[in-house]
Amino acid sequence: MSLFKRLMPIKQGLSDAVKLFGGSSLCFLHSAPDSHVELHSQEQEVVIALGSNVGDRLSNFNHALQLMKKSGITIIRHGCLYETAPAYVTDQPHFLNSAVRAVTKFGPHELLGVLKKIEKDMGRTDGIRYGPRPIDLDILFYGKFRINSDTLTVPHERIWERPFVMAPLMDLLGSDVENDTVACWHSLSIHSGGLFESWEKLGGEYLIGKEEMKRVLPIGNHLWDWSRKTSVMGVINLTPDSFSDGGKFQSVDSVVSHVCSMISDGADIIDFGAQSTRPMASRISPQEELDRLMPVLEAVVKIPEMNGKLISVDTFYSEVALEAVKNGAHLVNDVSGGQLDPNMTKVVAGLEVPYVAMHMRGDPTTMQNSENLQYDNVCKQVAFELYSQIKDAELIGVPAWRIIIDPGIGFSKNTKHNLDILMGLPTIRAEIARKSLATSHAPMLIGPSRKRFLGEICARPAAIERDPATIASIAAGILGGANIVRVHNVRDNLDAAKLCDAMLKHKRSAA
């Protein structure tokens, strides 16, 4: 189902907003080349598109964002990252495209000048129109204003014909029209249904995932299109008190052997945890966690079997995340979503690695208390609380294109809540989409493997006996929209993932 059709219930509200900000109530700014009217009295919210197809495209994006921030452009939201085939001039490399929402006190032509200077400083020169460039920065929207001058047109006149611009622009919105500025942007669309209809007219979500346009997440040294298949993350606990395999992997040799076995069974990612997060687990220090983790990490990164595979570090300490990434880890898996270490999101932003933000209330010692188990609607509340954490991370500098979301099965949830989440993954995405379409598109990770609620339902007190129930829960999650499954038994769960992927592919081809 297309995004536009999923958003149909809000169309009437959008139409009302468009009417309110259309016609005479919309502010217009007209300027001539020799007589610019500029605004300095208040901050304006703007949308800026980014494109690059020369050199290290992702590094170009990161550098451009840093220069924008230094220039006085405060970025508040990021779109997803897209790899797209070139348009107009097709004999050139593929582009990376995205967009950001920002606030600035620059007037529109001042802002244009700042962006042109950044392009020049980054090596862009006059060349073939629509040809290769290290960075391309375009103003898509500026406050509530329509601008027409010899040097600047806002909205950008070719938005409506460019999927590679419309897709990241849509990511910056929510399905709810959050304020009058966003309502005004909708009113500036060439279609009566606002930007949602404009995106649908181009093809909408049906365009994503093809060779011409892929939504990607940068990880390791490549761009990952997570929609192609479910990725299997193998769990290795380096703790003596893990609920499933505590004490089993206390030597480096035993860990390396198990990693090789998991990779042979088909694991895409190996997730190392050196801090127990089972209910009521006592917290160890960052140094003790590092003492457990680093000898293993140093050994594992050297084995040839890890070539092409990814390493995740399961930690809520920023110091551990920093050292792990410096020594070969590719992503940070934080069960607290940044709540247990105030420096975590800042450190992750600086490391420029993917960040798994998981939902949990409290910490392992308090997450299962009565207060933290109170929900009126667990899927809606998990979505709201998780989005709030991700929004904070984004303001610090973790872009949406590096976020992986995890609803936190088993963490501050009882059996009923876990079942609600397994059956309600589409609801969680839809609730997040009300605030941020970019975040709702992020890869979703689930980790029900061998957890207590499966034992309660199936009368399996021993964790090792819960693999069949795990397979069933993993299958339900994948069919509900999960992209990564975190499991102890890689071999059997990989088979379940392959079957679910085949079913979903068949469903799409028949649509």
Side-chain angles (χ1 to χ4, degrees):
M1 184 181 291
S2 72
L3 175 64
F4 181 72
K5 290 178 181 176
R6 292 201 301 271
L7 299 179
M8 284 298 285
I10 64 104
K11 188 173 180 181
Q12 183 59 49
L14 173 59
S15 298
D16 293 342
V18 169
K19 289 176 183 176
L20 176 62
F21 291 95
S24 61
S25 65
L26 178 65
C27 296
F28 291 90
L29 175 61
H30 299 279
S31 56
D34 58 347
S35 179
H36 296 322
V37 178
E38 300 294 344
L39 305 171
H40 300 275
S41 59
Q42 61 181 3
E43 287 186 328
Q44 298 290 335
E45 189 164 359
V46 300
V47 176
I48 300 169
L50 298 90
S52 174
N53 75 333
V54 172
D56 186 334
R57 300 170 298 173
L58 187 61
S59 178
N60 292 342
F61 270 32
N62 293 333
H63 190 199
L65 293 179
Q66 291 168 5
L67 293 176
M68 288 162 65
K69 293 174 186 177
K70 289 179 180 178
S71 299
I73 302 167
T74 302
I75 295 167
I76 59 174
R77 192 176 292 189
H78 307 72
C80 298
L81 193 66
Y82 297 85
E83 186 171 45
T84 64
Y88 310 117
V89 178
T90 58
D91 185 19
Q92 58 177 317
H94 276 49
F95 277 83
L96 280 189
N97 291 102
S98 192
V100 295
R101 277 171 69 173
V103 292
T104 182
K105 290 186 176 181
F106 289 125
H109 292 87
E110 287 179 316
L111 177 61
L112 178 64
V114 168
L115 298 181
K116 293 301 180 186
K117 184 178 187 303
I118 291 173
E119 290 179 342
K120 184 177 179 180
D121 290 347
M122 290 184 59
R124 183 171 178 181
T125 58
D126 293 336
I128 302 172
R129 192 180 187 194
Y130 307 127
R133 74 289 307 265
I135 196 70
D136 186 25
L137 303 173
D138 287 320
I139 303 171
L140 303 184
F141 289 108
Y142 182 93
K144 302 176 189 176
F145 296 92
R146 186 190 300 276
I147 304 168
N148 268 305
S149 77
D150 289 348
T151 57
L152 181 62
T153 300
V154 175
H156 194 281
E157 70 271 23
R158 308 201 78 166
I159 290 177
W160 324 112
E161 67 184 49
R162 295 176 173 179
F164 61 89
V165 174
M166 283 297 299
L169 169 59
M170 297 303 299
D171 293 339
L172 300 175
L173 309 175
S175 60
D176 290 346
V177 180
E178 64 193 85
N179 58 38
D180 57 357
T181 298
V182 172
C184 183
W185 295 345
H186 280 290
S187 77
L188 291 170
S189 168
I190 62 174
H191 298 100
S192 60
L195 297 172
F196 297 138
E197 184 178 353
S198 296
W199 174 227
E200 176 69 8
K201 291 288 187 183
L202 280 175
E205 283 294 301
Y206 292 112
L207 299 173
I208 310 301
K210 300 178 174 62
E211 282 304 312
E212 294 79 14
M213 189 171 191
K214 297 182 289 186
R215 193 177 278 131
V216 294
L217 183 145
I219 187 166
N221 59 1
H222 72 285
L223 298 171
W224 174 37
D225 177 3
W226 66 90
S227 69
R228 292 188 177 275
K229 76 177 189 71
T230 301
S231 295
V232 176
M233 174 185 278
V235 181
I236 295 188
N237 294 302
L238 306 177
T239 58
D241 57 347
S242 169
F243 80 95
S244 175
D245 47 19
K248 191 174 180 180
F249 305 114
Q250 296 300 290
S251 73
V252 172
D253 288 345
S254 65
V255 173
V256 169
S257 175
H258 193 57
V259 167
C260 291
S261 176
M262 281 186 159
I263 292 173
S264 177
D265 286 342
D268 303 291
I269 309 168
I270 304 296
D271 186 50
F272 293 101
Q275 171 103 233
S276 179
T277 54
R278 63 177 176 77
M280 300 307 299
S282 58
R283 189 184 305 189
I284 64 173
S285 68
Q287 187 57 55
E288 189 173 352
E289 191 173 331
L290 284 167
D291 290 343
R292 292 176 180 176
L293 175 65
M294 294 313 295
V296 166
L297 189 58
E298 290 169 0
V300 167
V301 296
K302 296 175 183 177
I303 62 176
E305 289 84 353
M306 283 305 300
N307 184 38
K309 304 298 181 179
L310 299 172
I311 295 173
S312 166
V313 57
D314 181 355
T315 185
F316 49 72
Y317 284 134
S318 59
E319 301 103 304
V320 176
L322 179 63
E323 290 303 314
V325 172
K326 283 182 177 179
N327 287 274
H330 302 99
L331 65 152
V332 175
N333 181 10
D334 180 2
V335 298
S336 80
Q339 296 183 100
L340 297 182
D341 183 340
N343 292 321
M344 176 62 92
T345 50
K346 183 178 179 181
V347 167
V348 170
L351 291 170
E352 297 181 350
V353 295
Y355 180 56
V356 182
M358 195 194 81
H359 176 271
M360 175 177 66
R361 291 174 172 178
D363 62 29
T365 64
T366 63
M367 65 183 183
Q368 297 302 116
N369 67 26
S370 59
E371 181 181 358
N372 285 328
L373 292 177
Q374 293 300 312
Y375 298 93
D376 295 323
N377 183 311
V378 66
C379 289
K380 288 186 177 182
Q381 286 173 265
V382 164
F384 175 79
E385 292 168 20
L386 190 55
Y387 169 69
S388 296
Q389 294 164 217
I390 292 168
K391 181 181 178 181
D392 290 343
E394 190 168 17
L395 290 171
I396 290 172
V398 182
W401 63 68
R402 294 193 188 276
I403 291 291
I404 298 169
I405 56 177
D406 181 346
I409 292 172
F411 288 80
S412 55
K413 285 94 177 172
N414 60 27
T415 296
K416 177 183 179 299
H417 299 146
N418 291 323
L419 293 175
D420 285 341
I421 287 172
L422 273 175
M423 295 185 294
L425 299 183
T427 299
I428 292 173
R429 283 200 190 271
E431 286 297 311
I432 292 174
R434 293 178 62 183
K435 302 296 184 182
S436 168
L437 292 172
T439 307
S440 76
H441 292 317
M444 181 181 285
L445 183 154
I446 59 167
S449 184
R450 296 181 179 174
K451 287 189 175 171
R452 180 178 299 177
F453 81 101
L454 300 176
E456 291 176 358
I457 293 169
C458 300
R460 301 291 184 184
I464 194 68
E465 297 179 346
R466 300 171 190 164
D467 281 350
T470 296
I471 292 167
S473 63
I474 288 297
I478 294 170
L479 295 177
N483 309 104
I484 310 167
V485 292
R486 183 178 183 273
V487 298
H488 298 83
N489 178 340
V490 170
R491 181 177 179 273
D492 292 342
N493 283 286
L494 176 62
D495 284 352
K498 286 180 177 179
L499 177 60
C500 290
D501 287 348
M503 292 166 65
L504 291 170
K505 183 178 180 180
H506 177 71
K507 182 180 179 180
R508 286 192 297 268
S509 65

